[in-house]
């Protein structure tokens, strides 16, 4: 998909992914899917909503994943 999106779960990322890490991955995903690096003014709201939705889904996914051999994540 997009090589600049890094894996955000252990062991690829030994520490807990930060909100900044999650938002950066979401932004890269939305850029790739939309084909826009930066949307035009009339698309900005939809673009920003998509980034937030992807970031929220990513945070939920990472919070729910159980990675064997990794320390338990704290909520």
């Amino acid at each position: 998909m997009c090589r600049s999106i890094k894996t955000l779960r252990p062991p690829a990322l030994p520490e807990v992914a930060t909100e900044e890490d999650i938002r950066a991955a979401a932004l890269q995903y939305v850029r790739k899917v939309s084909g826009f690096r930066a949307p035009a003014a009339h698309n900005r709201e939809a673009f920003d909503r998509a980034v937030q939705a992807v970031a929220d889904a990513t945070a939920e996914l990472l919070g729910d994943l159980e990675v064997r051999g990794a320390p338990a994540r704290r909520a």
Side-chain angles (χ1 to χ4, degrees), residues 3-16:
R3 293 183 199 162
S4 59
I5 299 174
K6 64 183 179 179
T7 302
L8 298 179
R9 66 163 181 79
L13 187 67
E15 69 276 1
V16 174

Side-chain angles (χ1 to χ4, degrees), residues 6 8 13 16-28 55:
K6 64 183 179 179
L8 298 179
L13 187 67
V16 174
T18 65
E19 286 184 34
E20 186 177 307
D21 293 329
I22 292 170
R23 178 146 177 89
L27 179 59
Q28 287 293 5

